[in-house]
Amino acid sequence: MAEPTRAEFTRRRAQLMRLMGANAIAVLPAAPVRMRNNDVEYDYRQDSDFYYLTGFPEPEAVAVLVPGRPVAQYVLFVRERHREREIWDGRRAGPAGATAQYGADDAFPIADIDEILPGLLEGRERVYYTMGLNPEFDHRVIGWVNRLRTQARSGLHAPQEFVSLNHLLHDMRLFKSRAELALMRRSGQIGAVAHLRAMRFCRPGRMEFEVMAELLHEFRRHGADTSYPPIVGSGPNSCVLHYRANNARLNEGDLLLVDAGCEYGYYASDITRTYPVNGRFTTEQRAVYEVVLEAQQAAIARVKPGNHWNEPHDAAVRTITAGLKRIGLLRGALPALIRSGAYKRFFMHRTGHWLGMDVHDVGDYKLEDEWRVFEPGMVLTVEPGIYIAAGSSGVPRRFWNIGVRIEDDVVVRPGGCEVLTGEVPREPDEIEALMAAA
Ligand code: GLY
Ligand code: MN
Ligand code: MN
């Protein structure tokens, strides 16, 4: 796996420390282990911010950045090596590994953090720490600062201010490095291969969960996992935006909407394809599909440096509203239909989101109340859709249960953007040819 190098993690910490300034300290806890039931844990996934700065995959760890501190600016608290626990649960780096393998300037057992951390906080003005994600750890951080405050009489100086790390760190995460883009490209490719497999597998009589199994098989055999629970919705389920049950039979004549992406090396892909269960679009399905495809192409064309965040969405709204009017599902003048939001009956979500270590990735969409302007290295999804639920009033029956979304991942490039997930077809003729050949 083309992981970011140790030097890249070092660069990230150095950049964050520069942004924080000399009087500050940052404290980041690893993700907690979460119990599924009794003594069974959920699969462990490191916290994205923590991993972004450390590359350290273990739980029960805390990273501390102390800019300008002469002895050690980057301190890691980690689990100690433990012969018996390692027999049961696998290897731990331990403090020695945290310095030797992960580049910490200094490392201590996590059990010693109460003794050591207040000393690191002492004399710093600002604590960069994101409150509210981990209430238990919030209390400990507040406790360490309060302990210092009570010692003010002995001349100790406690930090005066808590500042969320989100603003600085998430802006860094919004711009993907070359190494990150390599992982995202791979994540996109694996996701695309999985969708191809699902498309070939799809036919009447099979179950939605069988299609999901094909996706999972392809993710896992490439060393990837899901980046969110897959949505495999056929017929009426294609109109349920967050459908999760994935347990219906695929029926002749229905559409199948598959929204599934993988996580590879901590980076997500997020792909949706919609296709006919029997491999041939009906006239109405194709008409709706072509509007969504046209909207997606119009939106992707607006993803380029200098355009702002909402331009792809505006383009998708315009194309979808015009398309719905053309096929007779909306009536009226185009500008009025756009202004009144008439399209929201059928297109009720946004056209995309930032994508990265998290599927709905971090990063501001607005800066000082203005839509953010695209810059090279930002990654986002482009995912317009039209959903026509059964019973939609004023809509002919033959359009009911048609839910179409087409979603791809794109990275902003000088002059335009690059599609990371283009290896799975979008053109209806190509989809039909692929399914006919399966
Ligand atoms: N799969 C989540 C999304 O498309 O945003
Ligand atoms: Mn998405
Ligand atoms: Mn999606």
Side-chain angles (χ1 to χ4, degrees), residues 147-169:
R147 212 165 90 194
L148 279 179
R149 287 184 180 153
T150 60
Q151 292 170 310
R153 275 188 307 269
S154 36
L156 295 186
H157 182 78
Q160 297 304 306
E161 210 185 328
F162 279 105
V163 188
S164 164
L165 257 176
N166 288 354
H167 185 64
L168 300 181
L169 188 53

Side-chain angles (χ1 to χ4, degrees), residues 228-229 231 242 259-260 270-272 353 359-360 381 383 405 407:
Y228 55 91
I231 297 169
H242 288 164
D259 183 345
D270 183 5
I271 307 175
T272 307
H353 48 84
V359 65
H360 291 170
T381 66
E383 49 176 309
R405 177 163 65 255
E407 175 174 30

